[in-house]
Amino acid sequence: MLPALIARLGAHRVLTAREDIIPYGFDGTATLKQVPAAVVFPASAEDVSFVLRLAREHGAPVVARGSGTGLSGGSVPMAGGIVLCLAKMDRVLEIDTANLTLRAEAGAITQKIYEAADAAGLFYPPDPGSMKISTIGGNVAENSGGLRGLKYGVTRDYVMGLEVVLADGAICWLGSKCVKDVAGYNLRDLFIGSEGTLGVVTQVLLKLLPRPAARRTLLATFTSMEAAAAAVSAIIAAKVIPCTLEFLDRKTLACVEDFARVGLPRDAEAVLLVETDGHPAAADDEAAAVESICRTGGAAVVRRAADAAEAARLASARRSAFSALARLRPTTILEDVTVPRSELAGMVRAVQIIAERHGLQIATFGHFGDGNLHPTILTDERDTAEMHRVELALAEIVAETLRRGGTITGEHGVGLAKKPFLRRQLGDASFELLRLVKRALDPDGRLNPGKIFD
Ligand SMILES: Cc1cc2nc3c(=O)[nH]c(=O)nc-3n(C[C@H](O)[C@H](O)[C@H](O)COP(=O)(O)OP(=O)(O)OC[C@H]3O[C@@H](n4cnc5c(N)ncnc54)[C@H](O)[C@@H]3O)c2cc1C
């Protein structure tokens, strides 16, 4: 199989030396790794089709990979499998200012897409914390969210079309530039969030918005978690939908401040970072409403960013939460659960109690406006006894989430990490329906096997 791959792609696009392929054996998820047989870098959908047909002939499993920033083990390969890395297919192909769309190859970096839209006076809202390195193909495969999810939604809300290569090598286009299009089943949506288990995305057609004229940034600190959560509910109840409504707990706050030095208060129990945007008058009105709600709700301090530079520093400090926490212990396990917003304060407390019960360090931050929390376990994978306690704690966090009507993953996907819990959340009938879809599209189980379910 290797000679055929090299003949088609060239030796420089096929890696097999152990020292070259080890970095493609893991993603951003702690403790999960596996060494593939080869890593290949296609340059076109036709190359992807060739690789999938060859893999079929040889019975080899294939995992699509973008930048490997995934946090559920989605791009961890099977031992002896092929990693199909889309990173070299990274061009923005078209910006259509008449239709407000952007077309890009799947390996294009999310930030590059944001910047290309911005240069045309347009706006691509989904902004995962990893956007400087993640690919748009990975975002589509995980249906990634981001800090602007509350007002603008997630990746799915911006995908108008996809070029997908199926397990048998067939190349198909799903969707179009038409704002309304109900011809046939909505297969495009089936592939969004399918974690590379149904097909390989090679091109993405995205919807763009006019760029918001203004943005206002506020920071509110609270001495109790309940007060911060109540302020979030009050903001939404007041029919104000900020573009960003992020939360950091005391432990995260201290770490981020040590790391970014932007003047965050270390003594607060909870901090909300809020951004409003739109027409300058609307952004101002909404910021004033948020400020007043936070003050009435008992915020210790409410501070508006003085200028765009301070706003950017605060947003970038929030984006650095994962990296800041990762400095504390050798292993960082970033959880991703979502609960109804009414359950937020209780859920954060429950995580703290679970941490104390198991003698673990867990810091929590997340997209409070979406009910999406990232309890982050700081541990050391070489310590077997502690890792056993980590496993117990993770299972308890998931159970607590489901008990509160939540979901086991809000944006990072099921992959390997959440596989044991999926049936419990979905129930037997829905779970079997997922498997039926997988069998229909990938009867040999060639694409990203072992992910989502066995
Ligand atoms: C610091 C940090 C912050 C993060 N913040 C966020 C956040 O705010 N919101 C969020 O949602 N996620 C976040 N993530 C998780 C991660 O960045 C996203 O899941 C991202 O979309 C993964 O993109 P990637 O290119 O790295 O994909 P990879 O990790 O390479 O792959 C992820 C999954 O997508 C599949 N895949 C990749 N490319 C394709 C393709 N072309 N066709 C088919 N399947 C494909 C893979 O098989 C795998 O299952 C964060 C991660 C880190 C490390």
Side-chain angles (χ1 to χ4, degrees), residues 80-401:
I82 296 174
V83 173
L84 186 61
C85 185
L86 281 291
K88 307 253 189 251
M89 291 174 60
D90 64 349
R91 290 175 301 163
V92 172
L93 299 168
E94 178 196 75
I95 296 190
D96 180 342
T97 51
N99 286 302
L100 303 191
T101 60
L102 180 153
R103 191 163 54 84
E105 291 181 309
I109 299 294
T110 318
Q111 174 90 15
K112 186 167 152 185
I113 286 177
Y114 172 85
E115 285 168 2
D118 190 58
L122 294 167
F123 181 39
Y124 176 66
D127 60 339
S130 52
M131 69 188 289
K132 284 187 186 161
I133 33 174
S134 68
T135 65
I136 192 68
N139 293 174
V140 170
E142 298 288 8
N143 190 19
S144 295
L147 278 65
R148 302 188 191 109
L150 174 61
K151 179 168 177 180
Y152 290 105
V154 295
T155 304
R156 181 188 300 281
D157 300 309
Y158 296 88
V159 178
M160 297 183 77
L162 291 176
E163 182 184 65
V164 178
V165 185
L166 303 179
D168 64 1
I171 302 174
C172 49
W173 247 109
L174 308 169
S176 68
K177 285 187 182 177
C178 296
V179 173
K180 297 172 84 174
D181 183 354
V182 292
Y185 297 139
N186 184 347
L187 295 176
R188 175 197 62 206
D189 270 15
L190 184 61
F191 284 87
I192 303 170
S194 67
E195 305 187 23
T197 62
L198 301 181
V200 178
V201 176
T202 44
Q203 264 189 47
V204 180
L205 177 69
L206 298 167
K207 174 174 91 173
L208 303 177
L209 300 180
R211 187 171 53 203
R215 178 169 297 145
R216 307 285 178 253
T217 303
L218 293 98
L219 193 76
T221 69
F222 294 83
T223 49
S224 95
M225 192 70 64
E226 284 73 14
V232 170
S233 300
I235 291 168
I236 308 291
K239 302 183 185 66
V240 176
I241 306 294
C243 109
T244 297
L245 187 34
E246 294 288 303
F247 151 83
L248 307 176
D249 74 355
R250 181 195 282 266
K251 193 181 273 289
T252 313
L253 207 55
C255 277
V256 168
E257 181 53 22
D258 284 344
F259 184 71
R261 306 247 178 245
V262 286
L264 295 172
R266 290 163 185 278
D267 52 346
E269 191 62 24
V271 157
L272 296 180
L273 175 71
V274 189
E275 284 179 356
T276 62
D277 71 353
H279 184 280
D284 278 334
D285 279 359
E286 291 190 346
V290 169
E291 190 169 343
S292 143
I293 291 167
C294 288
R295 286 194 197 287
T296 315
V301 176
V302 183
R303 184 174 115 203
R304 277 213 206 188
D307 51 26
E310 189 186 358
R313 275 200 304 278
L314 290 173
S316 128
R318 156 60 188 91
R319 282 180 198 283
S320 71
F322 178 79
S323 325
L325 289 166
R327 299 189 315 160
L328 292 195
R329 300 282 313 274
T331 308
T332 312
I333 299 177
L334 192 85
E335 250 299 326
D336 166 45
V337 291
T338 301
V339 290
R341 285 185 288 230
S342 55
E343 298 290 331
L344 275 169
M347 188 65 207
V348 176
R349 283 269 171 262
V351 170
Q352 286 170 345
I353 292 167
I354 291 168
E356 280 160 27
R357 184 160 56 238
H358 294 289
L360 296 170
Q361 286 191 53
I362 307 185
T364 301
F365 62 96
H367 317 297
F368 236 36
D370 304 336
N372 188 194
L373 292 175
H374 295 312
T376 305
I377 306 186
L378 310 172
T379 183
D380 183 347
E381 64 185 291
R382 294 163 301 185
D383 183 337
T384 324
E386 184 166 317
M387 288 310 283
H388 177 61
R389 300 202 306 281
V390 167
E391 268 174 40
L392 295 176
L394 285 173
E396 285 175 26
I397 290 172
V398 167
E400 184 68 26
T401 303

Side-chain angles (χ1 to χ4, degrees), residues 14-26 34-39 41 65:
V14 180
L15 305 181
T16 53
R18 198 171 161 80
E19 63 273 25
D20 290 336
I21 59 180
I22 282 177
Y24 296 87
F26 53 88
Q34 195 62 262
V35 182
V39 180
F41 297 89
R65 183 182 176 97

